[in-house]
């Protein structure tokens, strides 16, 4: 019932305002109710190293967007960069034409151009936004997208923890070294490899630092909390190619949602978080207060980032961006333990799709079903079908697999059936098979891809297409011809 209203007028009424300059556009010229988001260049100095850190910011300079369930996502997005861009609203159920995939659902937004987005919010939870253009995600064209549920029975202090991997290098040079050096990044000279004892099957890019809320642990974000209160930590992995272990230390935590969707609470102190995934952790600040670091250590490295929850008058401890030990690999055992709070209704599967994950570090060509983007054949589904996707990982590396515009339920991890979490990005461990299910309700062209930025850029991406769907404002198949090739 909601879907009809949702799709009506979604694409045609929007379109592009050919602004002379996004920078010159005053907020007053916005349509009523719209929020202006500007993408602007920026830099960060992290522990003495300077790197690009672009911003998607509101008028008040804060990153990203916050809304409420039942409202609308009404955003005027201004490209304040010298390059084209395209922003994807990660995890949202939305009209295909506003999904922000350049050359597939929309033409890129030119420098100085404004693009309008307008659709109803049918979800609530922790989402994010990031560029889907080129390698802009690595230079932190990333921001939170939070949808608050005002009906939530347990109001909590909301704390957002954004994780980014930070490099002083040009991402294009990183990709080129991965593609041209023997054994990918492992033979790379210089600062990229310095001091990092990682293995090629865990991480293929070595970073200068890991950041939480864009800060290093040498100068962390200290969030003021009150003793005795509960906080909802919305941890968002905005990294380009780093998975993390998130530790709450002496604060016991309960994971209450993943990728925006509620789960049966899972207690713990150390949680796995793959690239592009989110986890909401409920923590309780003890009576008596104190300072409580929340630490994320990157898989396969000794690098870590974090924030500190601190009550008034507490001394914040000195923290190091280097952990005492190199972290091992994520196991994906957590995934098998997650249970959706509201599982999909059971019904027979109408269509089974198989997606094999292939490629290797040596050639650094990555594929899905043997096909390398953009030379792909879309996977076809029909509206109304219950669809199962089986991800079969044939490589010795973990891949975070993301489906656009849908929320799936994990139904098997490594061959073991589960009534798993509902989410939009699932890790598939080396040689592992993971199954997911969803109802095909949203006609369009929807990307399926590995969310490791350099894998995606090296071909690990395909499209799921609804039979009979045509994008009237934009012809994705014709536009694939424009897709930049290296
Ligand atoms: Cu991958």
């Amino acid at each position: 019932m909601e879907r009809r209203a949702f799709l009506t007028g979604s694409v045609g009424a929007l379109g592009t305002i050919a602004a002379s300059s996004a920078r010159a556009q005053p907020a007053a010229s916005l349509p009523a109710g719209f929020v202006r988001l500007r993408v602007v260049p920026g830099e960060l100095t992290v522990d003495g190293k300077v790197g690009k850190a672009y911003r998607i910011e509101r008028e008040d300079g804060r990153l990203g967007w916050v809304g409420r369930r039942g409202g609308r996502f009404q955003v005027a997005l201004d490209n304040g960069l010298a390059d084209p861009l395209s922003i994807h609203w990660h995890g949202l159920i939305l009209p295909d034409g506003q999904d922000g995939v350049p050359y597939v659902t929309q033409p890129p937004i030119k420098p100085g151009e404004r693009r309008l987005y307008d659709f109803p919010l049918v979800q609530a939870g922790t989402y994010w936004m990031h560029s889907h253009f080129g390698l802009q995600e690595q230079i932190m064209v990333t921001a939170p997208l939070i949808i608050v549920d005002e009906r939530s029975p347990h109001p909590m202090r909301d704390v957002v923890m954004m994780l980014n991997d930070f490099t002083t290098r040009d991402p294009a040079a990183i990709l080129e070294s991965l593609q041209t050096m023997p054994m990918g990044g492992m033979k790379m000279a210089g600062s990229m490899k310095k001091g990092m004892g990682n293995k090629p099957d865990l991480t293929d890019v070595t970073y200068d630092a890991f950041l939480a809320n864009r800060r290093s642990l040498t100068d962390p974000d200290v969030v003021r909390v009150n003793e005795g209160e509960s906080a909802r930590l919305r941890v968002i992995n905005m990294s380009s190619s780093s998975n993390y272990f998130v530790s709450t230390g002496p604060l016991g935590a309960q994971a209450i949602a993943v990728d925006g969707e509620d789960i049966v609470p899972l207690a713990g102190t150390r949680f796995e978080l793959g690239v592009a995934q989110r986890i909401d952790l409920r923590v309780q600040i003890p009576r008596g207060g104190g300072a409580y670091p929340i630490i994320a250590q990157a898989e396969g490295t000794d690098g870590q980032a974090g924030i500190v929850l601190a009550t008034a008058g507490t001394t914040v401890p000195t923290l190091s961006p280097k952990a005492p030990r190199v972290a091992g690999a994520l196991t994906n055992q957590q995934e098998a333990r997650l249970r959706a709070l509201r599982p999909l209704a059971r019904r027979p599967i109408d269509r089974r799709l198989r997606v094999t994950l292939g490629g290797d570090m040596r050639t650094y060509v990555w594929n899905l079903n043997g096909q390398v983007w953009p030379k792909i054949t879309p996977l076809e589904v029909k509206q109304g079908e219950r669809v199962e996707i089986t991800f079969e990982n044939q490589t010795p590396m973990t891949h975070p697999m993301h489906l656009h515009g849908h929320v799936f339920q994990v139904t098997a991890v490594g061959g073991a059936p589960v009534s798993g979490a509902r989410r939009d990005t699932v890790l598939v461990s080396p040689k592992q098979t993971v199954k997911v299910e969803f109802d095909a309700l949203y006609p369009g062209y929807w990307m399926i891809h590995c969310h490791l930025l350099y894998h995606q850029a090296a071909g690990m991406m395909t499209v799921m297409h609804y039979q009979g769907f045509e994008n009237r404002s934009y012809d994705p198949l014709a536009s694939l011809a424009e897709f930049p090739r290296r």
Side-chain angles (χ1 to χ4, degrees):
M1 21 120 238
E2 267 173 337
R3 198 176 47 75
R4 178 180 293 260
F6 163 66
L7 293 170
T8 302
S10 59
V11 178
L14 294 169
T16 290
I17 297 174
S20 54
S21 161
R23 286 186 187 87
Q25 293 245 353
S29 70
L30 290 178
F34 276 63
V35 170
R36 182 190 189 207
L37 284 180
R38 283 197 319 156
V39 183
V40 293
E43 268 184 1
L44 274 180
T45 304
V46 178
D47 303 331
K49 295 170 180 168
V50 182
K52 285 182 177 172
Y54 286 19
R55 302 175 63 81
I56 311 173
E57 61 181 28
R58 306 198 286 274
E59 293 287 342
D60 62 7
R62 289 199 281 181
L63 296 177
W65 187 89
V66 182
R68 56 176 184 83
R69 190 207 291 269
R72 294 185 77 83
F73 185 79
Q74 293 183 309
V75 163
L77 180 69
D78 286 335
N79 182 358
L81 306 182
D83 300 305
L85 64 78
S86 192
I87 303 294
H88 168 57
W89 319 108
H90 185 115
L92 294 198
I93 291 171
L94 78 185
D96 174 83
Q98 301 186 55
D99 191 43
V101 182
Y103 311 105
V104 176
T105 63
Q106 302 183 292
I109 307 173
K110 298 185 185 82
E113 186 185 327
R114 167 173 289 179
R115 192 74 55 86
L116 298 184
Y117 297 83
D118 186 4
F119 53 85
L121 296 166
V122 297
Q123 299 153 282
T126 305
Y127 304 91
W128 64 300
M129 58 182 78
H130 61 82
S131 179
H132 223 283
F133 188 91
L135 301 171
Q136 287 171 348
E137 196 179 271
Q138 181 70 84
I139 53 174
M140 294 165 71
V141 185
T142 60
L145 197 170
I146 307 297
I147 309 172
V148 175
D149 190 348
E150 285 161 342
R151 300 171 310 187
S152 174
H154 306 293
M156 286 176 271
R157 179 179 293 271
D158 230 89
V159 179
V160 172
M161 177 168 168
M162 310 180 283
L163 299 173
N164 287 91
D165 41 21
F166 175 83
T167 179
T168 59
R169 294 194 53 180
D170 175 3
I174 295 175
L175 180 60
E176 198 183 330
S177 348
L178 289 166
Q179 289 177 320
T180 56
M181 301 296 275
M183 283 309 290
M186 289 316 291
K187 295 281 159 47
M188 246 177 284
S191 64
M192 277 193 74
K193 308 309 297 177
K194 192 169 60 186
M196 298 284 199
N198 58 347
K199 299 192 191 93
D201 54 350
L202 293 191
T203 55
D204 43 23
V205 181
T206 299
Y207 287 95
D208 291 291
F210 299 98
L211 306 180
N213 294 349
R214 300 194 169 217
R215 295 164 79 149
S216 157
L217 262 181
T218 51
D219 176 29
D221 187 14
V222 178
V223 179
R224 191 60 69 209
V225 292
N226 297 323
E227 60 175 280
E229 77 176 346
S230 289
R232 182 190 192 109
L233 282 172
R234 300 178 183 269
V235 191
I236 311 176
N237 189 353
M238 303 180 177
S239 300
S240 289
S241 45
S242 305
N243 300 317
Y244 296 90
F245 294 99
V246 180
S247 299
T248 56
L251 284 183
Q254 286 198 310
I256 53 174
V258 293
D259 295 0
E261 291 285 327
D262 292 343
I263 54 171
V264 176
L266 178 71
T269 57
R270 192 170 188 249
F271 299 90
E272 300 192 343
L273 188 65
V275 168
Q277 294 183 327
R278 290 84 67 205
I279 191 164
D280 289 20
L281 302 174
R282 184 169 60 205
V283 295
Q284 180 148 19
I285 311 302
R287 295 268 167 217
Y292 298 94
I294 309 294
I295 303 291
Q297 183 174 358
E299 175 186 41
T301 81
D302 62 356
Q304 59 184 9
I307 62 170
V308 181
L309 306 179
T311 53
T314 315
T315 308
V316 174
T318 302
L319 298 162
S320 171
K322 292 284 171 230
R325 282 196 303 271
V326 171
L330 266 65
T331 64
N332 221 16
Q333 282 167 10
Q334 174 183 292
E335 194 63 52
R337 297 177 62 204
L338 301 180
R339 297 287 175 272
L341 195 62
R342 287 175 284 275
L344 275 182
R346 295 181 69 169
R347 57 175 272 201
I349 292 165
D350 302 302
R351 186 178 298 265
R352 292 187 159 85
L353 301 175
R354 193 164 196 88
V355 176
T356 57
L357 285 45
D360 62 76
M361 286 296 295
R362 196 183 53 77
T363 61
Y364 215 81
V365 176
W366 298 92
N367 67 72
L368 296 175
N369 288 337
Q371 298 181 327
V372 176
W373 179 267
K375 291 185 175 171
I376 57 97
T377 317
L379 299 165
E380 297 286 332
V381 298
K382 241 186 237 163
Q383 191 174 357
E385 287 179 335
R386 170 63 59 92
V387 180
E388 178 189 82
I389 299 181
T390 301
F391 294 110
E392 183 190 324
N393 186 355
Q394 301 175 336
T395 79
M397 190 162 188
T398 296
H399 303 274
M401 297 304 300
H402 174 45
L403 168 64
H404 283 214
H406 294 71
V407 175
F408 52 67
Q409 184 176 12
V410 177
T411 54
V413 180
V418 289
S419 178
R422 296 183 68 189
R423 61 189 321 160
D424 55 60
T425 308
V426 69
L427 287 173
V428 190
S429 291
K431 309 291 177 182
Q432 190 178 53
T433 295
V434 170
K435 289 186 181 186
V436 303
E437 264 182 51
F438 58 92
D439 290 322
L441 296 175
Y442 314 110
Y445 287 94
W446 302 105
M447 310 312 290
I448 299 175
H449 64 90
C450 173
H451 221 287
L452 298 178
L453 180 62
Y454 301 97
H455 290 192
Q456 179 189 345
M460 206 163 188
M461 180 154 74
T462 191
V463 172
M464 181 179 83
H465 171 245
Y466 279 62
Q467 287 177 8
F469 176 84
E470 288 175 57
N471 186 337
R472 280 165 203 206
S473 65
Y474 195 63
D475 181 352
L477 293 184
S479 70
L480 276 181
E482 308 174 31
F483 192 83
R485 290 178 173 78
R486 284 172 306 276

